[in-house]
């Protein structure tokens, strides 16, 4: 088997891993006979030549939904807006189940209506994501300039850059006025109006968290990992990373960006970096010990707060971010992704998500990283390969033999252990359909309807007066009589064809998500709408 590595980020580790399996490296990106392709930057040709179900390809094509500032901000907003709309139609304190016509069946929001702790997983965006405004939208831009006060500090970030490029602070009214005039000139520039793709990169402004928790007087953030090991079905994992500290002590009034930005690329610009390099990266164990000794009694924290409460909070935030884009990500068997998630803790030990990064840095320039990064890379490939091979061979996905440091966050497999497709395209399509049905209606996966006799053919003159025969005794045991109300199922001629279509304006049965139609059971996926249709 052949493998291809594009770029230098983690290339040495990837090369050693693949060659240890007897694979041979190729250097031509246009070749199509690879089994694994790991590219630092995404290329359109890479995805055109990808063979679903036969190859592994690093980076989901549209992962920008999570890994750009505007993408993450927009999707979190949309997700929260949908959640709020749904919650207004229901009484969360009521013990009665909501009407099915109001219940969306998508798993990304269905758990909102379940009792207990799962409903509490929905986080308010303002509790984990700093207040932000998009500068590429005029209304938001004007809103920011209107609310800005001279005593505030905001941070301005380009949407797609990494390593701290293009970031600056807005610390006074003069800096805000300069930004406003610059954006105004871009809007009015005829060149950019004619060729908008040549305009400067879109930006966001974010309220600066000016009271961060400090480690030995230095600002820090925590890099953790979200691994999407498979997209058909979804298999998500959480992985611990490391703590990144600045070279010098934190000073809010300083104009030196190395005081405010903690990433390694920015810290290398500080003249002290070569002397304190090993102290700019801590392991999670060291961070946990420091918090236990320094803050546990003073702040009333539980023991091992870092490894327990903080870790759980990071998982919950990652999960909500994923659910916000779950229905939008490109899904093909063979896609996998490793996303770097950056978190900041303030003085009150409140956890904030700063950003999520595609193709996170896999360099090993200090002792801590030499211990952490190889583990992350190797287990990423281990899990992606094991899941991929099991699906190819039609085996059950769980349990995973090679899972060690990563913790499972989410899996989209069926309760019996997962779909078992073969290598054919037909089976891959059926796998996607099975995953869609299983996710939209988990009850069907647990209790599949029994095979029923085929319904009688429709008369050529049109539907009969009684198109829905009375259910048999066998049906009545599975489908309660309330499901057969007057308005439960109606038969109406389609305006475009002579064939009838079936509409379901109301289904009162909440125990089943199957509907008896013409003497047989069918599976229906309902959309959240005023009128639920098949």
């Amino acid at each position: 088997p052949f493998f291809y590595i594009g770029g230098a980020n983690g290339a040495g580790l990837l090369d050693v891993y693949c060659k240890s399996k007897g694979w041979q490296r190729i250097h031509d990106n246009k070749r199509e006979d690879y089994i694994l392709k790991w590219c630092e930057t995404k290329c359109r040709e890479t995805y055109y030549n990808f063979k679903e179900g036969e190859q592994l390809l690093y980076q989901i094509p549209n992962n920008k939904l999570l890994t750009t500032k505007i993408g993450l901000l927009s999707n979190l907003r949309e997700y929260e807006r949908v959640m709020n709309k749904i919650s207004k139609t229901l009484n969360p304190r009521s013990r009665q189940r909501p009407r099915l016509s109001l219940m969306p069946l998508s798993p990304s929001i269905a758990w909102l209506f379940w009792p207990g702790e799962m409903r509490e997983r929905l986080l308010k965006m303002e509790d984990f994501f700093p207040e932000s405004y998009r500068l590429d939208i005029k209304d938001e831009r004007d809103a920011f300039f209107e609310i800005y006060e001279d005593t505030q500090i905001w941070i301005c970030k380009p949407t797609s850059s990494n390593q701290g490029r293009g970031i600056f602070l807005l610390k006074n009214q003069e800096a805000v006025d300069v930004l406003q005039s610059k954006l105004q000139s871009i809007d009015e520039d005829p060149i950019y109006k004619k060729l908008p793709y040549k305009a400067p990169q879109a930006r966001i402004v974010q309220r600066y968290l000016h009271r961060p928790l400090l480690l030995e007087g230095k600002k820090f953030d925590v890099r953790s990992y979200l691994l999407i090991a498979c997209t058909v079905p979804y298999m998500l994992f959480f992985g611990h990373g490391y703590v990144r500290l600045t070279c010098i002590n934190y000073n809010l009034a300083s104009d030196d960006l190395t005081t405010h930005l903690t990433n390694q690329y920015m810290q290398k610009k500080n003249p002290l970096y070569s002397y304190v390099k090993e102290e700019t990266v801590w392991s999670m164990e060291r961070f946990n010990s420091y918090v236990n000794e320094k803050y546990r009694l003073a702040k009333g924290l539980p023991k091992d707060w870092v490894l327990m409460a903080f870790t759980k909070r990071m998982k919950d935030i990652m999960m909500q971010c994923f659910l916000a884009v779950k229905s939008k990500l490109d899904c093909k068997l063979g896609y996998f992704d490793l996303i770097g998630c950056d978190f900041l803790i303030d003085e009150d030990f409140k956890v904030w998500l700063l950003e999520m990064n595609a193709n996170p840095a896999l360099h090993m320039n200090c002792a801590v990283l030499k211990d952490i990064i190889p583990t992350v890379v190797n287990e990423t490939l281990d899990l992606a390969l094991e899941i991929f091979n099991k699906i190819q061979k039609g085996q059950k996905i769980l349990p995973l033999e090679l899972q060690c440091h990563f913790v499972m966050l989410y899996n989209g497999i069926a309760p019996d252990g997962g779909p078992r497709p073969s290598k054919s395209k037909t089976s891959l399509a059926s796998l996607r359909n099975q995953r869609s049905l299983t996710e939209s209606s988990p009850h069907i996966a647990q209790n599949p309807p029994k095979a029923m006799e085929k319904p009688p053919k429709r008369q050529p003159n049109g539907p009969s007066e009684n198109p829905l025969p009375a259910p048999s005794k066998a049906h009545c045991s599975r489908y309660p009589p309330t499901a057969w109300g007057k308005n439960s199922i109606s038969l109406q001629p389609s305006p475009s064809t002579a064939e009838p279509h079936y509409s379901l304006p109301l289904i009162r049965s909440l125990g089943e998500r199957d509907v008896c139609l013409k003497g047989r059971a069918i599976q229906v996926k309902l959309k959240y709408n005023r009128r639920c249709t098949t």
Side-chain angles (χ1 to χ4, degrees):
F2 299 108
F3 68 95
Y4 174 84
I5 301 173
N9 185 30
L13 292 171
L14 297 165
D15 186 77
V16 171
Y17 179 93
C18 294
K19 288 182 177 178
S20 69
K21 293 186 172 295
W23 300 353
Q24 183 178 348
R25 183 172 181 177
I26 57 177
H27 298 274
D28 184 1
N29 190 25
K30 296 182 180 180
R31 286 183 58 169
E32 303 178 13
D33 55 345
Y34 62 88
I35 190 174
L36 170 67
K37 180 175 282 191
W38 183 294
C39 294
E40 185 173 345
T41 57
K42 289 181 288 188
C43 177
R44 181 178 298 177
E45 290 76 12
T46 300
Y47 298 99
Y48 282 161
N49 298 328
F50 170 72
K51 300 174 184 177
E52 181 181 2
E54 300 179 19
Q55 298 171 327
L56 278 170
L57 185 57
Y58 176 63
Q59 290 202 59
I60 299 172
N62 64 338
N63 61 6
K64 64 181 181 180
L65 296 172
L66 281 175
T67 60
T68 61
K69 280 79 171 178
I70 287 180
L72 181 61
L73 173 64
S74 301
N75 284 289
L76 285 175
R77 283 178 176 175
E78 180 184 359
Y79 184 72
E80 185 175 62
R81 185 168 59 250
V82 172
M83 294 297 99
N84 290 336
K85 279 188 177 182
I86 295 173
S87 63
K88 288 180 181 178
T89 64
L90 304 169
N91 180 6
R93 297 182 179 180
S94 175
R95 295 184 179 179
Q96 297 180 353
R97 289 181 175 181
R99 287 165 45 192
L100 187 60
S101 58
L102 294 178
M103 178 185 288
L105 301 184
S106 172
S108 62
I109 49 182
W111 54 263
L112 176 67
F113 306 102
W114 298 347
E117 59 186 34
M118 292 197 73
R119 189 165 58 221
E120 298 174 359
R121 288 172 57 185
L122 182 63
L123 308 176
K124 291 184 179 179
M125 189 173 168
E126 62 187 21
D127 290 338
F128 70 90
F129 199 77
E131 182 182 0
S132 304
Y133 293 88
R134 292 179 56 173
L135 296 181
D136 60 323
I137 298 179
K138 187 177 185 303
D139 291 342
E140 284 197 41
R141 185 169 66 228
D142 294 342
F144 165 70
F145 293 133
E146 184 177 345
I147 68 165
Y148 179 79
E149 297 179 3
D150 198 28
T151 57
Q152 298 175 347
I153 299 178
W154 292 72
I155 185 168
C156 187
K157 305 176 181 179
T159 180
S160 299
S161 294
N162 55 8
Q163 298 179 335
R165 296 188 184 98
I167 294 180
F168 58 87
L169 298 181
L170 299 171
K171 304 177 72 173
N172 51 54
Q173 187 64 50
E174 182 181 356
V176 173
D177 292 340
V178 171
L179 176 63
Q180 186 175 12
S181 61
K182 183 177 180 180
L183 294 173
Q184 185 69 24
S185 64
I186 292 174
D187 284 347
E188 297 175 354
D189 194 318
I191 296 179
Y192 297 144
K193 287 184 177 180
K194 191 173 182 180
L195 303 172
Y197 59 89
K198 289 189 175 182
Q201 191 176 165
R203 291 176 169 271
I204 69 167
V205 286
Q206 198 170 67
R207 189 178 291 276
Y208 186 74
L209 303 172
H210 62 280
R211 295 191 304 110
L213 184 68
L214 303 179
L215 299 183
E216 298 180 350
K218 300 172 183 176
K219 186 179 178 181
F220 73 96
D221 69 358
V222 177
R223 163 62 58 88
S224 296
Y225 296 101
L226 173 65
L227 170 61
I228 306 177
C230 184
T231 59
V232 184
Y234 274 121
M235 300 291 290
L236 262 70
F237 299 85
F238 165 84
H240 272 302
Y242 50 92
V243 181
R244 307 182 298 186
L245 296 84
T246 59
C247 295
I248 56 179
N249 288 350
Y250 176 68
N251 182 7
L252 181 62
S254 175
D255 294 327
D256 185 359
L257 281 180
T258 61
T259 308
H260 305 281
L261 304 181
T262 59
N263 65 78
Q264 292 288 298
Y265 181 84
M266 187 61 64
Q267 293 305 307
K268 289 178 181 179
K269 298 181 180 180
N270 192 294
L272 296 175
Y273 179 76
S274 58
Y275 301 100
V276 298
K277 178 176 65 173
E278 295 295 335
E279 289 299 314
T280 60
V281 179
W282 285 13
S283 66
M284 294 301 293
E285 290 75 16
R286 180 179 175 181
F287 177 37
N288 182 62
S289 299
Y290 183 90
V291 172
N292 281 340
E293 296 173 5
K294 181 82 173 180
Y295 295 108
R296 183 186 172 192
L297 296 178
K299 297 289 186 177
L301 300 175
K303 185 180 180 181
D304 295 332
W305 178 86
V306 169
L307 300 179
M308 302 298 292
F310 174 56
T311 298
K312 181 181 182 302
R313 185 67 172 179
M314 288 193 293
K315 292 178 183 178
D316 291 342
I317 293 174
M318 286 184 187
M319 190 64 192
Q320 183 147 326
C321 293
F322 165 71
L323 292 176
V325 302
K326 175 177 174 290
S327 61
K328 303 176 184 179
L329 288 174
D330 292 337
C331 298
K332 288 186 178 181
L333 181 58
Y335 286 165
F336 71 104
D337 215 333
L338 181 67
I339 298 174
C341 307
D342 298 337
F343 295 90
L344 185 140
I345 307 170
D346 64 18
E347 287 182 347
D348 300 323
F349 283 81
K350 189 174 182 178
V351 181
W352 299 91
L353 173 65
L354 298 180
E355 60 185 14
M356 305 181 86
N357 300 276
N359 191 43
L362 301 174
H363 306 305
M364 299 177 291
N365 55 358
C366 66
V368 174
L369 295 180
K370 289 178 182 178
D371 181 54
I372 294 175
I373 298 301
T375 301
V376 171
V377 173
N378 291 337
E379 192 163 345
T380 293
L381 294 172
D382 281 342
L383 292 175
L385 276 171
E386 182 179 355
I387 295 171
F388 182 73
N389 290 333
K390 284 184 175 180
I391 294 177
Q392 276 191 321
K393 297 175 182 178
Q395 299 175 351
K396 288 186 177 182
I397 298 177
L398 297 178
L400 295 169
E401 299 176 359
L402 300 178
Q403 182 182 352
C404 183
H405 297 90
F406 278 88
V407 179
M408 183 175 291
L409 281 182
Y410 178 92
N411 75 79
I413 62 178
D416 63 349
R420 302 176 180 84
S422 63
K423 297 181 180 180
S424 65
K425 293 183 179 179
T426 303
S427 63
L428 291 174
S430 64
L431 168 62
R432 287 194 294 271
N433 294 334
Q434 182 179 355
R435 180 177 70 87
S436 176
L437 288 170
T438 302
E439 291 179 347
S440 62
S441 186
H443 186 83
I444 295 177
Q446 298 176 10
N447 300 292
K450 298 179 181 179
M452 306 295 179
E453 296 181 358
K454 292 184 179 180
K457 292 184 179 180
R458 185 174 62 86
Q459 299 296 328
N461 294 331
S464 61
E465 296 180 359
N466 185 19
L468 295 175
S472 64
K473 293 182 179 180
H475 291 170
C476 292
S477 64
R478 284 180 53 81
Y479 306 98
T482 54
W484 291 82
K486 180 179 179 181
N487 295 327
S488 60
I489 300 179
S490 61
L491 181 65
Q492 302 172 357
S494 173
S496 58
T497 63
E499 294 295 327
H501 76 277
Y502 303 94
S503 62
L504 291 86
L506 177 62
I507 301 177
R508 296 192 181 94
S509 172
L510 297 176
E512 298 285 344
R513 289 181 183 173
D514 301 350
V515 177
C516 272
L517 185 63
K518 283 194 173 184
R520 63 174 176 173
I522 64 171
Q523 299 170 341
V524 273
K525 180 178 181 180
L526 304 181
K527 293 183 178 180
Y528 178 68
N529 205 331
R530 291 184 178 180
R531 184 179 183 87
C532 296
T533 60
T534 53

